[in-house]
Amino acid sequence: MKIEDNIGTVDYFGEHRKVFMDTDGAKEGDYVYAQGGVLIRTVPEKEALETLEFWKERFFELKKVDARLSKVHDSQTSNAILAILQKVNLKRALTKEDMSALYKVTKPEELKLIYETANSTRQKENDNACCVHGILEFSNHCRNDCSYCGIRKSSSIKRYRMTVDEIIKNAEYAVKELGFKALVLQSGEDTWYDEKKLVEIVRRIRKMGVLIFISIGARSKELYRKVYEAGARAVLLRFETSNREIFENLRPGTSFEERIDLIKYVKSLGYVVATGFIVGLPGETDNDLINNILLTKSLGADMHSFGPLIPAEGTPLEDERLPDKQKVLKTIAISRFADREAKILVTTALETLDRKTRKEGLLAGANSIMINVTPPEYRELYIIYPNRADKDKDIKENIKQTTDLLYSIGRAPTDIGL
Ligand code: SF4
């Protein structure tokens, strides 16, 4: 690694990537682990050489598979759609009308061309890396009452909270035993975890040398600042919809403007930001989805996170219809066209909609996945929506299935020790 003005240049098999120097006195020539553009830790030479040895041949093999699967094939497509995709290939910004035309596509050959173009864009701009973050759901208490959410405060579900030591123990298992290098700590908006507890949790986990994402809802700016100082470097905070009327109906007692302001604030603090929305909310139009995509980009999202509405029992939206899978895949593809270099997550909600969709999402422009590392006795209580795809999955089995899937399509999993 080379360093200039707090920015390091990391050499990864001949590719050069810039990282913000955030840590532990790393010097030129050190081996380092970086994520989301942030240097997370230095890596002892022996460990680094073992990792590089493991990846040496596999890295180039995977790239070949990815390049093969990223080809765009000729297909019967209208001139209007071809003209839009040509704009994408020329790296020109799409208009809202272009995006709207893509949302209207229903012919299988045209959909195939859209997804292949999105996958090719992902490959050209981001290569074959795929983030695999572990997610630990540490509390299903929430002070809010969002209409779409199975753990809203008025749901009569069994509640749990992990103690600070339990969170540390589970994080340690995910890092040391399962090899995760990026962990998402997620809960409802639960103020039982005050600044003191959250700072302690983050400090102790940061010592394990991982990127810490926090997903704890709308807490105070001061708390987000303190938790940053303690070592958290990424925030998952969705705005859920850019349509204020829908927002106010579905998230009583919360303010759209305050939510957006908080997302901007955490970005200004230096956090890596994952944000996004729900696809398929009642009353939502394609125009809302386009505005959602553009808002995600304008907020400077490092990672786009959106998933379909899965109606949860006992909530006001329990009788809503599931959104069309193609609508979610189109949203992935259009997000890729709008934000070529971003990470785009295939969410568990999408996988819940259809178990095959994880692969389809990755081949429609996505390049990020999360694996649930919450112990089963708690996972089954974190029921934001029913029949979650990861509900009964053994964690190690899930990791194996995920890495097998990624290898089969030429992606190199990052953030998980291999
Ligand atoms: S969506 Fe988030 S804030 Fe709303 S009720 Fe569910 S956990 Fe709470």
Side-chain angles (χ1 to χ4, degrees), residues 367-384:
N367 56 349
S368 219
I369 281 185
M370 288 187 187
I371 293 183
N372 200 317
V373 296
T374 311
E377 67 275 20
Y378 292 135
R379 206 185 317 157
E380 65 181 29
L381 301 175
Y382 204 89
I383 31 178
I384 298 185

Side-chain angles (χ1 to χ4, degrees), residues 142 144-146 148-149 151-152 187-189 240 251:
C142 186
N144 289 326
D145 216 23
C146 306
Y148 49 82
C149 179
I151 64 168
R152 64 204 294 259
S187 68
E189 220 166 276
E240 310 298 7
R251 297 183 54 89

Side-chain angles (χ1 to χ4, degrees), residues 90-160:
L90 293 171
K91 299 192 178 185
R92 283 166 49 198
L94 298 188
T95 62
K96 284 188 172 187
E97 289 70 31
D98 294 332
M99 294 182 188
S100 177
L102 295 179
Y103 267 121
K104 288 197 178 73
V105 167
T106 53
K107 284 189 193 155
E109 321 83 76
E110 293 191 339
L111 287 172
K112 184 167 167 282
L113 188 64
I114 292 170
Y115 301 149
E116 284 184 355
T117 306
N119 189 34
S120 160
T121 308
R122 185 273 315 154
Q123 192 253 350
K124 280 184 217 145
E125 305 290 341
N126 301 271
D127 217 321
N128 68 336
C130 183
C131 303
V132 184
H133 298 173
I135 180 162
L136 179 65
E137 293 153 342
F138 61 91
S139 161
N140 69 352
H141 286 258
C142 186
R143 63 180 170 181
N144 289 326
D145 216 23
C146 306
S147 312
Y148 49 82
C149 179
I151 64 168
R152 64 204 294 259
K153 74 172 175 204
S154 58
S155 278
S156 52
I157 55 165
K158 190 171 163 201
R159 303 281 170 175
Y160 73 90

